[in-house]
Amino acid sequence: MYVSYWQKKTDKSSVVSYNDNKIVALADATQILITDVNDEVFASKAMGDGVAFKLKGDTIYAPASGKLSVLFPTGHAFGIAMNNGVELLCHIGINTVEANGKGFTALKTQGDYVIAGEPVIKLDLKELEKTYDMTTMLIVVKPNEKQVVFNTPSDVRSEEVIAKII
C-alpha cells in the first residue's frame, strides 16, 4: 500500500509532516460529537459519520491533504478527496448557504491540491455569528472501505491530529 507524506513548512526551521492516514482539526475550536449538532441531517449521520466544531477562529484549514474536489461558490462548504480514496466534506455553519457567500472568502479554488493545515476559507466570524449557528461539520462522505476513528471531543487547535484512518 502506498502512503504519501505531505509536508508543510511552518517557519524557517520546522516542517510538519502529515500522512494520508491522519485527519487534523480544521480550526481552533471545541470539537463536539456530530450527534450534538443542531441540524437533523448532520446529527443523524445521514451524510456520513464525522465530528463538529464550535469555532474559536476565523480561518478554516484543510483537515487533510488531497484535491479540493468541491468548493461551493458561496464558500460555505468544500470537499477533499484524499489520496487513499477517503472523501471528506467540511460544512461551515448551519444554513449558511443562505448568506450567498457574504462573510466567506475562498483562499483556494476547486481542483487545487491542498496540504493538511493549509488555509482554505477565511470567515467574518463575528458577522456570521449574528445570523447563523457557526457550528462546523467535518463529515466522512466516502470512507472507501476504511474506518475513521475520531478522538474524544475536546478543545483543539488547527492542525492537531483529531482522527486516524485504519
Side-chain angles (χ1 to χ4, degrees):
M1 177 171 88
Y2 175 76
V3 176
S4 58
Y5 287 83
W6 303 101
Q7 295 183 333
K8 178 181 177 191
K9 190 130 178 94
T10 57
D11 63 28
K12 293 182 179 178
S13 63
S14 67
V15 173
V16 177
S17 294
Y18 302 100
N19 68 37
D20 286 340
N21 294 318
K22 302 254 168 70
I23 296 174
V24 299
L26 50 73
D28 293 340
T30 299
Q31 180 182 323
I32 63 172
L33 297 172
I34 194 70
T35 53
D36 291 341
V37 171
N38 191 21
D39 182 292
E40 186 58 31
V41 173
F42 292 110
S44 70
K45 301 183 183 181
M47 296 185 70
D49 198 6
V51 292
F53 302 88
K54 297 287 187 178
L55 301 177
K56 295 181 181 177
D58 62 359
T59 304
I60 303 297
Y61 301 89
S65 298
K67 182 179 178 181
L68 275 177
S69 54
V70 175
L71 178 56
F72 284 78
T74 56
H76 80 285
F78 61 89
I80 295 179
M82 297 176 66
N83 288 332
N84 59 14
V86 173
E87 294 182 18
L88 305 173
L89 171 69
C90 174
H91 193 284
I92 307 163
I94 296 172
N95 297 324
T96 49
V97 68
E98 297 169 0
N100 291 318
K102 186 175 181 187
F104 296 89
T105 302
L107 305 174
K108 299 292 177 184
T109 58
Q110 186 169 316
D112 283 354
Y113 195 90
V114 294
I115 296 171
E118 191 172 356
V120 177
I121 303 288
K122 187 78 168 166
L123 306 171
D124 185 343
L125 187 59
K126 288 184 180 176
E127 191 61 33
L128 288 163
E129 285 178 325
K130 291 177 184 176
T131 307
Y132 302 100
D133 176 341
M134 291 305 295
T135 302
T136 297
M137 287 63 63
L138 177 60
I139 307 298
V140 181
V141 292
K142 181 181 173 192
N144 194 32
E145 299 181 9
K146 294 178 178 33
Q147 181 181 6
V148 179
V149 180
F150 290 99
N151 294 355
T152 303
S154 65
D155 286 339
V156 294
R157 303 219 15 108
S158 63
E159 303 181 48
E160 180 179 331
V161 175
I162 60 158
K164 295 178 184 176
I165 301 171
I166 51 177

